Amino acid sequence: MQLKWNSGEPLAWPRGKVVCVGRNYAEHAKELGNAVPERPLLFMKPATALVPAEGGFSIDESRGQVHYECELAVLVGKPLTKASAAEAADAIAGFGLALDLTLRDLQSELKEKGHPWELAKAFDGSCVITSLVGPEGFDDLGAVHYQFFQNGELRQDGHSSQMITPITELLALISTTFTLEPGDLVLTGTPKGVGVLQKGDTLRLVLEDKLDVTTQVG
């Protein structure tokens, strides 16, 4: 699978790792009964987690409930190590929307035991990503709006102004621990409204007037 620009042109970079941010929206933390962290809660998904939203995707319900978490995804276009916010802003090569698929029952078990979340978060196919659009037109990164619909019902209404740690500061902070490389994706956290996916669901992901993707769960 090759990620593509909205224009259909292949990306100039290979797929990389996916760095995810937990609890970057206070209302989402509250809906799951979690405390808001003092620092962004980071975890990763491998490149093998990526599957395209376009054309539909599959879930394995035998492993328990699969929850959707719609997130603004940022494509990294330049290497970032211990970067400033300004350097991070200059390294943004594009945006898309992603579904951070989560085996919620398993995640709850892992959290209770104090274990890492990867078994519930980093499995094959756990990062459903739309096509990507370039950074042009995203003049105010504090005012990016996106929505997620399930079977025609609005489930999540995200706005980057609600993020606890803003986008460029988030990239800079991540780069102090994980070097970000061209082709890496950063998922910036999910707003409230997460829920269960079912086979047969029709999903729609909308990023302002720049992306409008409909997909099916198989």
Side-chain angles (χ1 to χ4, degrees):
M1 187 270 290
Q2 192 173 41
L3 299 180
K4 295 180 181 295
W5 294 110
N6 214 28
S7 65
E9 293 298 318
L11 289 179
W13 310 285
R15 293 184 302 169
K17 61 184 175 290
V18 182
V19 182
C20 305
V21 183
R23 306 177 197 171
N24 200 26
Y25 287 77
E27 291 301 314
H28 168 58
K30 291 177 184 177
E31 75 177 342
L32 294 184
N34 295 319
V36 176
E38 294 182 4
R39 287 170 54 87
L41 182 59
L42 303 179
F43 60 96
M44 287 198 286
K45 295 175 184 272
T48 50
L50 288 163
V51 293
E54 289 85 350
F57 63 95
S58 300
I59 60 173
D60 183 0
E61 294 176 317
S62 70
R63 303 181 69 187
Q65 288 189 349
V66 181
H67 276 213
Y68 60 79
E69 298 184 9
C70 185
E71 309 195 16
L72 178 67
V74 180
L75 175 68
V76 177
K78 296 179 181 180
L80 291 174
T81 302
K82 297 180 173 60
S84 67
E87 290 169 331
D90 185 59
I92 295 174
F95 295 92
L97 293 177
L99 295 179
D100 169 13
L101 301 188
T102 305
L103 299 174
R104 190 68 75 196
D105 297 334
L106 178 56
Q107 186 192 33
S108 297
E109 293 176 17
L110 294 169
K111 286 164 63 176
E112 287 177 4
K113 296 176 182 178
H115 293 176
W117 298 353
E118 275 74 11
L119 290 176
K121 286 279 195 178
F123 54 93
D124 287 355
S126 63
C127 186
V128 181
I129 182 75
T130 67
S131 55
L132 303 170
V133 293
E136 299 80 12
F138 292 92
D139 300 321
D140 184 357
L141 296 185
V144 181
H145 181 225
Y146 60 99
Q147 295 177 306
F148 172 75
F149 298 82
Q150 182 183 37
N151 300 321
E153 297 290 331
L154 178 64
R155 300 299 188 194
Q156 292 188 274
D157 194 16
H159 201 287
S160 61
S161 65
Q162 301 164 348
M163 292 180 182
I164 296 169
T165 304
I167 294 170
T168 53
E169 286 83 350
L170 189 57
L171 295 178
L173 187 147
I174 290 169
S175 77
T176 65
T177 301
F178 309 117
T179 291
L180 292 170
E181 300 175 315
D184 286 350
L185 288 170
V186 174
L187 272 53
T188 54
T190 194
K192 67 179 181 180
V194 303
V196 182
L197 286 180
Q198 306 282 353
K199 288 182 180 293
D201 282 348
T202 298
L203 312 177
R204 183 179 174 213
L205 300 91
V206 181
L207 175 57
E208 299 185 344
D209 60 352
K210 300 173 179 67
L211 275 175
D212 192 332
V213 175
T214 298
T215 189
Q216 197 86 14
V217 183

